[in-house]
């Protein structure tokens, strides 16, 4: 027991500070990715809900590609593919310049792309759950198209989309573990390093499982409260 406590302690003898830093980075990555994915997903839903056939087709192609690719493949495409593409492009104008994409940024973009492809479908379903009369009522009150969207449609859209978006947040939280393969020192990577050095794989990977589970439970409680607040005053 003393050996376990020593391994989990903070300081030079233990791995507690490294695991804590990895946990904070995992949370930071998920929180940084969320607004990016939500914004992209909302814009994609608007495109799919548009009367413009080209916008609709482009959004469909986007979501089909990134919902069909494994998340890990998308991460590799962003981290390695974009890096190689930029290197080749800059090489046309300047030789000897080396481009390296930040792992955190690459993980955020890749996870945001995947999140947006799924959240767009959630937003689109929410759009379809709002009757045309809501738009017409806003216009009848003299509201512009933008004001109708912001004041009438968007509050209802958030309430309808919240359950689906809550599930996607939990998936995103777990998908952050993928960034360990591109060298980002997240919870999974630091747990792996600690396991290899200490030869206590069960201890550190078990601890990582408990931390992920705790983050999911805390998120579920928080999301349930947000959902209850969003539905306050809803007619039944």
């Amino acid at each position: 027991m003393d050996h376990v406590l020593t391994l989990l302690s903070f300081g030079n003898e233990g791995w507690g500070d490294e695991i804590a830093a990895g946990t904070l980075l995992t949370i930071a990555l998920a929180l940084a990715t969320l607004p990016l994915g939500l914004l992209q997903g909302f814009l994609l839903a608007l495109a799919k809900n548009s009367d413009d056939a080209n916008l609709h087709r482009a959004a469909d192609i986007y979501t089909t590609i990134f919902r069909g690719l494994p998340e890990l493949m998308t991460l590799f495409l962003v981290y390695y593919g974009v890096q190689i593409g930029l290197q080749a492009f800059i090489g046309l104008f300047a030789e000897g310049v080396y481009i390296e994409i930040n792992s955190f940024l690459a993980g955020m973009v890749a996870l945001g792309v995947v999140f947006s492809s799924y959240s767009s479908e959630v937003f689109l379903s929410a759009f379809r759950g709002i009757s045309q009369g809501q738009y017409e009522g806003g216009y009848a009150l003299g509201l512009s198209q933008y004001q109708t969207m912001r004041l009438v449609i968007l509050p209802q859209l958030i309430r309808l989309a919240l359950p689906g978006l809550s599930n996607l947040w939990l998936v995103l939280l777990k998908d952050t573990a993928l960034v360990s393969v591109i060298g980002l020192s997240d919870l999974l990577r630091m747990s792996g390093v600690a396991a290899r050095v200490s030869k206590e794989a069960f201890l550190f990977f078990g601890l990582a499982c408990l931390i992920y589970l705790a983050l999911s439970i805390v998120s579920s409680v928080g999301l349930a409260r947000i959902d209850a607040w969003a539905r306050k005053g809803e007619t039944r």
Side-chain angles (χ1 to χ4, degrees):
M1 185 63 181
D2 290 340
H3 176 62
V4 172
L5 293 176
T6 300
L7 289 175
L8 298 180
S9 65
F10 290 80
N12 295 329
E13 296 184 0
W15 290 89
D17 43 0
E18 286 83 0
I19 299 297
T23 301
L24 290 176
L25 194 145
T26 291
I27 296 171
L29 178 60
L31 291 175
T33 302
L34 183 62
L36 175 65
L38 287 175
L39 178 60
Q40 288 179 326
F42 180 71
L43 294 177
L44 285 168
L46 286 178
K48 289 188 174 187
N49 207 39
S50 171
D51 294 330
D52 190 319
N54 291 326
L55 282 177
H56 192 285
R57 190 177 300 110
D60 279 340
I61 292 172
Y62 177 98
T63 54
T64 299
I65 290 174
F66 291 110
R67 289 174 67 191
L69 289 177
E71 287 87 345
L72 189 58
M73 181 64 70
T74 302
L75 180 61
F76 285 153
L77 284 175
V78 172
Y79 185 65
Y80 295 110
V82 173
Q83 187 168 280
I84 292 172
L86 286 175
Q87 189 73 51
F89 177 76
I90 293 176
L92 297 174
F93 307 97
E95 295 184 1
V97 178
Y98 179 72
I99 301 295
E100 184 175 1
I101 294 179
N102 180 272
S103 298
F104 187 93
L105 179 61
M108 186 178 73
V109 171
L111 294 177
V113 164
V114 175
F115 186 93
S116 67
S117 63
Y118 286 98
S119 65
S120 66
E121 296 299 320
V122 174
F123 281 124
L124 184 60
S125 296
F127 269 122
R128 291 171 177 169
I130 300 173
S131 67
Q132 187 63 31
Q134 298 291 318
Y135 295 88
E136 295 171 354
Y139 301 149
L141 291 173
L143 300 178
S144 66
Q145 187 174 6
Y146 170 75
Q147 289 173 324
T148 300
M149 175 61 69
R150 182 172 64 87
L151 300 174
V152 179
I153 303 302
L154 197 56
Q156 298 179 69
L157 186 76
I158 293 173
R159 177 175 56 79
L160 292 172
L162 194 56
L165 295 177
S166 298
N167 290 332
L168 290 179
W169 162 255
L170 295 177
V171 173
L172 171 64
L173 197 59
K174 292 178 288 186
D175 280 349
T176 55
L178 296 173
V179 299
S180 62
V181 302
I182 58 173
L184 200 61
S185 300
D186 70 320
L187 172 58
L188 183 60
R189 181 173 178 81
M190 296 314 299
S191 298
V193 171
R196 286 193 298 272
V197 173
S198 67
K199 310 299 182 184
E200 294 285 354
F202 182 79
L203 171 64
F204 285 104
F205 285 123
L207 177 62
C209 289
L210 292 176
I211 293 174
Y212 278 115
L213 182 60
L215 292 176
S216 296
I217 291 173
V218 171
S219 295
S220 296
V221 172
L223 290 168
R225 291 185 177 181
I226 293 173
D227 185 62
W229 171 82
R231 295 180 181 278
K232 188 180 297 183
E234 181 180 301
T235 57
R236 299 183 181 275

